[in-house]
Amino acid sequence: MSSQSELIAKKARAAGNILKTASGENRSQLLYKIHDSLKANADVIKSANKLDLENAVKTNLSSALLKRLDLFKGDKFDVMLQGIIDVANLDDPVGVVKMARELDEGLTLYQVTSPVGVLLVIFESRPEVIANITALSIKSGNAAILKGGKESVHTFREMSKIVTETIIKYQDTTGIPDGSIQLIETRDDVANLLDQVDYIDLVVPRGSNALVKNIMNSTRIPVLGHADGICSIYVDEEANMNEAKRITLDAKTNYPAGCNAMETLLINPKLKNWYEVLINLNQVGKVTLHVTKDVKIEYLKVLKDLNLQESLESMVVDIDEEKEFDQEYLSLDAAVKFVNSTEEAIKHINTHSSKHTDAIITENEEKANMFLKGIDSASVYWNASTRFADGFRYGFGAEVGIATSKIHARGPVGLDGLVIYQYILKGHGQVASDYIGAGGQKAFIHKNLDIKNIKL
Amino acid sequence: MSSQSELIAKKARAAGNILKTASGENRSQLLYKIHDSLKANADVIKSANKLDLENAVKTNLSSALLKRLDLFKGDKFDVMLQGIIDVANLDDPVGVVKMARELDEGLTLYQVTSPVGVLLVIFESRPEVIANITALSIKSGNAAILKGGKESVHTFREMSKIVTETIIKYQDTTGIPDGSIQLIETRDDVANLLDQVDYIDLVVPRGSNALVKNIMNSTRIPVLGHADGICSIYVDEEANMNEAKRITLDAKTNYPAGCNAMETLLINPKLKNWYEVLINLNQVGKVTLHVTKDVKIEYLKVLKDLNLQESLESMVVDIDEEKEFDQEYLSLDAAVKFVNSTEEAIKHINTHSSKHTDAIITENEEKANMFLKGIDSASVYWNASTRFADGFRYGFGAEVGIATSKIHARGPVGLDGLVIYQYILKGHGQVASDYIGAGGQKAFIHKNLDIKNIKL
């Protein structure tokens, strides 16, 4: 007998197989309809959201979390609705011809983008995310199973109901079937779904480190996302001091809890007045610096000379090197270490970074290129803040997440990460045994065609 | 304390980080040197291979396996050597600029191909594969840990020694370090390496179904490959009979043990003289047909009418539908089922196929397009034999394997499957907090640049 999770996963697979064949126009049309339905039902959604907020107050949720739960705070609901339209209006990521090659006369091979298939998307309690994920999934032709944080259960349930009703209502005109978007509610369901490797193609967890790590450790289904964002900046001896100060300050303090915030500062002590970078972080950024022994000795000496010891010393603490180079602070704290060369910086970063985003500050192009080539992270920067690592800043229109794995999609991931490709071969009765290598005499011609002129 | 496997994996990671920075020219140069060393040491390799062959005879290995073990049978050794040169001469898959975009003036984002990192490649006893994998790994800038079948252990050990010595000898000129290619010998090592998710990025198993399935089930590291190749051909009522006969015969009999061989024939009984396709497979192909009940009744009736019952009846057997639609025969056997429409064929294939390669035979373009869009397999064909699903036939120059997963790389995989990308951002001191969305007023310009003119 099939389990409940297997039934959900099977239903998603069946829906995905049909959704895959819907035209880009119909996928966008459905998103406009979903936009309209959510807008028309704002009142019902608001009531459900109120219920969630009341329950949250009862369970003494923090004010930060309450703010997240409140879907009607400021223009949040309208921004969410506009987001659906924005995604609907993006170029269709499906059916794009990436390669066309004549294998022989009348035997042509095409590589064409196609949906990944079935997504399992797990996110926390922000109610607007359900609209965002629905839009991304349908736009990219993927069926999705959604699981949101339990604090927003009533809002999710109401919104999901409206989405499902809209899908069913327009099923005959769009060709997009019921089951394309399914909501699940309990943690048990997630655990069981993570076993459905035959039906689910990709897990997209959006949320806390702990959530993502836990998911990565409990499934054999590929996971698109990131747990840690341990980003480092190396300030070279040939750095422009003004840039070094501005960039490190921005990277650490613009949004300290962001996954693209600087956690480690590697600084070359041969840089003239290197300590200005640290003083700037201490004074302007109110950043506590977790420093190695040699940094501490040198820095405290400078602070004493500059009569800054009293005001800044409390923001200089000893680092536990065994631990702190491999963790995120997610706060106004940064690890600081001396490194004596670009090579040493590269080695430190390739050992300790989470392969998210790392930067070098230098005026020396040769060293910059060595760094850009040598660092094995999804994003590698020269003279820019790590905070630019973001799908919208990269110009992707939509962000699915930020991935730190080494295959499929890396760094900020747009709709491209939700599609893959298929090979389409169109022939006229050709068989392999006529060709060299399979018993025959014919040779392949392997002539590449200009994909600009090809529409399948 | 680190385990032996962890040390091997760490060494590979460290080597990969350096190999990643080597120029394409140096990577190819090293391959020429490896070619020369293997050629110069043909005698030592031959002695080792002789030892393996003698041991194999002692353990009563089948003659088919003995043939595989013999590296000096015919021109096998020379073909192997030429293969290294061929890979060395391919275009460099690393450092290719795929996208360039001005985020703002003086702030430019590049998407550039880069090696995946560290590969664990597991293969069976064909000794020439070690040269092939070494070439593919180094060409694509990846460090590799290799494990070959135990029957060829002496040959592998000798060849690996020569490869390692060559890498070390030219390390100073190529910049490619020791540890870039490592051989491991025992099964225990493999099991432990499959746990090294922090150091190994991709597992590439090449070998039997059982081997691949076992690996896929025992690691959280992504696996590039395929277990089953359950390929189906749907012969539509509007098929050209001659093409239907030729294609199904080729797909089943050209190499029945191939993963791209036809396992299931779906035939529309409305096709005039549909039974000719079956008679052709029986008579010409000597294929045993495993048929559903309705096919059996109709086909035996025809055979009787045509006076063929006596000669062919023994090649018509009852199918166990529960089992046989989901398995490979890998022999001169095929499952046969009536389907009444393209939709029904699509549904059967999406349910039972292993997402490898499936084909439709029809003269009706509309039905063909429905099939090409609806089938969720890596390769989908119209009027061509499934046997074309092969890296060399697709014109990839080299084949890493055939993948049936839904992400990263699908179908026949060339060097492209061993690279991924990084984002490189070059700035002039820009910080996120100056821009809209992070507290500032500046807007991004997001202007795409023509990648033809860009060389990083």
Side-chain angles (χ1 to χ4, degrees):
Chain A
M1 212 191 69
S2 299
S3 69
Q4 178 70 12
S5 305
E6 193 178 334
L7 291 177
I8 291 170
K10 269 189 175 172
K11 186 173 178 182
R13 169 67 79 201
N17 284 338
I18 297 169
L19 173 53
K20 175 180 186 296
T21 67
S23 70
E25 201 180 317
N26 283 346
R27 281 180 267 117
S28 291
Q29 278 303 327
L30 176 60
L31 291 184
Y32 298 135
K33 296 297 183 191
I34 287 174
H35 164 274
D36 296 348
S37 301
L38 291 173
K39 193 172 177 181
N41 287 285
D43 285 350
V44 215
I45 299 170
K46 200 167 186 173
S47 304
N49 191 228
K50 209 178 150 201
L51 200 56
D52 285 328
L53 284 168
E54 284 165 6
N55 288 337
V57 170
K58 276 181 214 154
T59 53
N60 289 318
L61 232 59
S62 73
S63 66
L65 275 177
L66 278 175
K67 222 164 101 182
R68 284 188 166 198
L69 283 194
D70 187 352
L71 181 57
F72 292 84
K73 196 179 165 62
D75 60 354
K76 213 197 267 184
F77 188 73
D78 294 329
V79 169
M80 177 195 88
L81 289 177
Q82 183 56 41
I84 300 174
I85 301 296
D86 291 345
V87 169
N89 289 342
L90 290 172
D91 286 344
D92 189 0
V94 177
V96 180
V97 179
K98 307 288 270 188
M99 183 264 270
R101 180 176 291 162
E102 251 185 10
L103 304 189
D104 194 6
E105 212 176 305
L107 184 68
T108 309
L109 181 72
Y110 306 88
Q111 191 193 47
V112 186
T113 61
S114 60
V116 163
V118 176
L119 315 176
L120 170 60
V121 189
I122 300 161
F123 46 101
E124 297 196 308
S125 302
R126 291 190 300 139
E128 68 273 25
V129 174
I130 195 171
N132 178 239
I133 302 284
T134 296
L136 292 170
S137 303
I138 289 176
K139 180 74 188 181
S140 58
N142 288 286
I145 302 168
L146 312 181
K147 165 73 174 73
K150 66 178 186 308
E151 295 82 2
S152 296
V153 62
H154 295 98
T155 320
F156 286 142
R157 204 179 283 161
E158 203 54 58
M159 288 173 70
S160 160
K161 199 173 138 236
I162 295 164
V163 167
T164 301
E165 284 169 1
T166 311
I167 290 174
I168 293 172
K169 184 171 172 188
Y170 295 99
Q171 180 161 352
D172 289 342
T173 49
T174 63
I176 296 168
D178 181 27
S180 294
I181 302 289
Q182 294 178 80
L183 181 74
I184 56 162
E185 295 193 4
T186 71
R187 265 178 200 271
D188 282 357
D189 288 337
V190 176
N192 292 328
L193 282 168
L194 289 173
D195 287 335
Q196 303 298 327
V197 67
D198 289 338
Y199 303 111
I200 297 173
D201 300 306
L202 191 63
V203 181
V204 184
R206 297 166 51 131
S208 71
N209 275 17
L211 174 84
V212 177
K213 258 185 203 155
N214 185 25
I215 288 165
M216 285 178 167
N217 288 331
S218 37
T219 186
R220 287 191 299 108
I221 304 171
V223 178
L224 191 156
H226 68 282
D228 291 319
I230 304 169
C231 303
S232 301
I233 294 183
Y234 167 54
V235 177
D236 181 53
E237 66 178 298
E238 296 180 65
N240 172 305
M241 177 56 76
N242 185 38
E243 289 188 7
K245 283 161 71 176
R246 291 187 72 222
I247 289 174
T248 53
L249 188 73
D250 181 84
K252 182 69 256 184
T253 68
N254 183 245
Y255 180 46
C259 61
N260 52 15
M262 175 183 81
E263 303 296 345
T264 301
L265 169 65
L266 302 173
I267 192 156
N268 193 317
K270 293 189 289 257
L271 171 67
K272 199 186 159 203
N273 299 349
W274 57 268
Y275 49 82
E276 289 184 26
V277 178
L278 276 60
I279 291 175
N280 187 56
L281 285 166
N282 271 160
Q283 270 188 330
V284 185
K286 309 292 170 210
V287 177
T288 298
L289 302 174
H290 300 238
V291 302
T292 56
K293 272 189 192 144
D294 47 353
V295 173
K296 190 174 189 183
I297 292 167
E298 298 299 322
Y299 188 46
L300 290 187
K301 215 185 286 172
V302 171
L303 290 185
K304 202 176 164 190
D305 291 348
L306 298 174
N307 264 327
L308 287 166
Q309 199 161 13
E310 205 176 323
S311 62
L312 301 186
E313 203 181 23
S314 66
M315 283 188 286
V316 182
V317 303
D318 293 321
I319 191 170
D320 177 351
E321 294 194 31
E322 287 293 310
K323 227 179 72 181
E324 294 185 52
F325 287 134
D326 302 293
Q327 68 174 36
E328 284 180 294
Y329 294 109
L330 299 171
S331 55
L332 285 173
D333 294 80
V336 184
K337 181 188 175 178
F338 281 147
V339 299
N340 290 297
S341 65
T342 309
E343 289 90 332
E344 202 184 323
I346 292 171
K347 206 161 182 184
H348 176 96
I349 292 172
N350 280 342
T351 308
H352 296 283
S353 106
S354 62
K355 308 200 183 300
H356 190 295
T357 304
D358 302 285
I360 183 172
I361 321 290
T362 186
E363 295 298 294
N364 182 315
E365 187 169 3
E366 204 180 313
K367 286 186 198 165
N369 283 332
M370 186 196 289
F371 188 89
L372 294 173
K373 262 210 142 176
I375 294 292
D376 181 29
S377 298
S379 293
V380 198
Y381 292 180
W382 177 20
N383 290 343
S385 167
T386 53
R387 288 275 298 142
F388 285 110
D390 171 282
F392 293 97
R393 290 171 199 167
Y394 278 13
F396 293 164
E399 185 179 275
V400 172
I402 293 188
T404 51
S405 74
K406 300 291 290 292
I407 63 160
H408 186 62
R410 298 184 82 184
V413 179
L415 279 175
D416 279 4
L418 300 185
V419 300
I420 181 69
Y421 55 78
Q422 292 182 283
Y423 288 104
I424 304 289
L425 182 67
K426 295 188 178 183
H428 290 84
Q430 286 89 344
V431 295
S433 53
D434 282 344
Y435 292 84
I436 294 167
Q441 295 301 320
K442 290 182 91 170
F444 290 101
I445 59 176
H446 290 148
K447 181 181 153 199
N448 285 332
L449 305 177
D450 188 353
I451 54 172
K452 267 188 214 147
N453 310 314
I454 290 167
K455 183 92 190 129
L456 282 188
Chain B
M1 214 189 69
S2 299
S3 69
Q4 178 70 10
S5 305
E6 194 179 334
L7 291 176
I8 291 169
K10 270 189 174 172
K11 187 173 178 181
R13 168 67 78 202
N17 284 336
I18 296 170
L19 173 54
K20 176 180 185 299
T21 67
S23 70
E25 201 180 316
N26 283 346
R27 280 179 270 118
S28 291
Q29 277 303 327
L30 177 60
L31 291 184
Y32 298 136
K33 297 297 182 192
I34 288 173
H35 164 274
D36 296 347
S37 302
L38 291 172
K39 192 173 179 179
N41 287 284
D43 285 352
V44 215
I45 298 168
K46 199 167 187 172
S47 303
N49 192 230
K50 208 176 149 201
L51 199 57
D52 284 330
L53 284 168
E54 285 165 7
N55 287 338
V57 171
K58 275 181 215 154
T59 53
N60 290 318
L61 232 58
S62 73
S63 67
L65 275 177
L66 277 175
K67 222 165 100 182
R68 284 186 166 202
L69 282 195
D70 188 352
L71 181 57
F72 292 84
K73 196 179 166 64
D75 60 356
K76 213 198 268 184
F77 189 72
D78 294 328
V79 168
M80 177 195 87
L81 289 177
Q82 184 55 41
I84 301 174
I85 301 295
D86 291 345
V87 170
N89 290 341
L90 289 173
D91 286 343
D92 189 0
V94 178
V96 180
V97 178
K98 306 290 269 189
M99 182 266 271
R101 180 176 291 162
E102 254 185 6
L103 304 190
D104 194 5
E105 211 177 305
L107 184 69
T108 309
L109 181 73
Y110 305 89
Q111 192 193 49
V112 186
T113 61
S114 59
V116 163
V118 176
L119 315 175
L120 171 61
V121 189
I122 300 161
F123 45 100
E124 297 198 308
S125 302
R126 291 190 301 139
E128 68 274 24
V129 173
I130 194 170
N132 178 239
I133 302 284
T134 297
L136 292 170
S137 303
I138 290 177
K139 180 75 187 180
S140 58
N142 288 287
I145 302 169
L146 311 182
K147 166 72 174 73
K150 64 180 189 307
E151 295 81 4
S152 295
V153 63
H154 296 98
T155 319
F156 286 141
R157 203 180 283 162
E158 203 54 58
M159 288 174 70
S160 161
K161 200 173 138 237
I162 294 164
V163 168
T164 300
E165 283 169 0
T166 311
I167 290 175
I168 293 173
K169 185 171 172 190
Y170 295 98
Q171 180 161 353
D172 290 342
T173 48
T174 63
I176 296 168
D178 181 28
S180 294
I181 302 289
Q182 293 178 81
L183 181 75
I184 56 163
E185 295 192 2
T186 71
R187 264 178 200 268
D188 282 356
D189 288 337
V190 175
N192 291 327
L193 282 168
L194 290 172
D195 287 334
Q196 304 298 326
V197 66
D198 288 337
Y199 302 111
I200 297 172
D201 301 307
L202 191 63
V203 181
V204 185
R206 296 166 51 131
S208 71
N209 274 19
L211 173 83
V212 176
K213 258 185 202 155
N214 186 23
I215 288 165
M216 286 177 165
N217 287 332
S218 39
T219 186
R220 286 191 300 109
I221 305 171
V223 177
L224 190 157
H226 68 280
D228 291 319
I230 304 169
C231 303
S232 300
I233 294 182
Y234 167 55
V235 177
D236 181 53
E237 67 177 296
E238 295 180 63
N240 171 307
M241 176 56 75
N242 185 36
E243 288 189 8
K245 284 162 70 177
R246 290 188 71 222
I247 289 174
T248 53
L249 189 72
D250 180 84
K252 181 69 256 182
T253 68
N254 183 244
Y255 181 47
C259 61
N260 53 15
M262 175 184 82
E263 304 296 345
T264 301
L265 169 64
L266 303 172
I267 193 157
N268 193 317
K270 292 189 289 256
L271 170 67
K272 199 187 160 201
N273 299 349
W274 56 267
Y275 49 82
E276 288 184 26
V277 178
L278 276 60
I279 292 175
N280 187 55
L281 284 166
N282 271 160
Q283 269 188 333
V284 185
K286 309 291 171 212
V287 177
T288 298
L289 302 174
H290 300 238
V291 302
T292 55
K293 271 189 194 146
D294 46 354
V295 174
K296 190 172 187 185
I297 293 166
E298 297 299 322
Y299 188 47
L300 290 187
K301 215 185 286 172
V302 172
L303 290 184
K304 201 177 166 193
D305 291 348
L306 298 174
N307 264 326
L308 287 167
Q309 198 161 13
E310 205 176 326
S311 60
L312 301 186
E313 202 181 22
S314 66
M315 285 190 282
V316 182
V317 303
D318 293 321
I319 192 170
D320 176 351
E321 294 194 32
E322 287 293 309
K323 226 179 73 181
E324 294 184 53
F325 288 134
D326 302 293
Q327 69 175 33
E328 284 181 294
Y329 294 109
L330 298 170
S331 55
L332 285 173
D333 294 81
V336 184
K337 182 186 175 181
F338 281 146
V339 298
N340 291 297
S341 65
T342 309
E343 289 89 333
E344 200 185 324
I346 293 172
K347 205 161 183 185
H348 176 97
I349 293 172
N350 281 341
T351 307
H352 297 283
S353 106
S354 62
K355 306 198 183 302
H356 189 297
T357 304
D358 301 285
I360 182 172
I361 321 290
T362 185
E363 296 298 295
N364 182 315
E365 187 168 4
E366 204 180 316
K367 285 187 198 165
N369 283 331
M370 185 196 289
F371 187 89
L372 295 174
K373 264 212 140 175
I375 294 292
D376 181 28
S377 298
S379 294
V380 198
Y381 293 0
W382 177 21
N383 289 343
S385 167
T386 53
R387 288 275 299 141
F388 285 110
D390 171 283
F392 293 96
R393 290 169 200 168
Y394 278 12
F396 294 163
E399 184 179 275
V400 173
I402 295 187
T404 51
S405 74
K406 300 291 291 290
I407 63 159
H408 185 62
R410 299 184 82 183
V413 180
L415 280 175
D416 279 3
L418 300 185
V419 300
I420 182 69
Y421 56 78
Q422 292 182 284
Y423 288 103
I424 305 288
L425 182 67
K426 295 189 178 182
H428 290 84
Q430 285 89 343
V431 295
S433 53
D434 283 344
Y435 292 84
I436 294 167
Q441 294 302 321
K442 291 181 90 170
F444 290 102
I445 60 177
H446 290 147
K447 181 182 153 198
N448 286 333
L449 305 177
D450 188 354
I451 54 172
K452 268 190 211 145
N453 310 313
I454 290 167
K455 182 93 190 131
L456 283 189

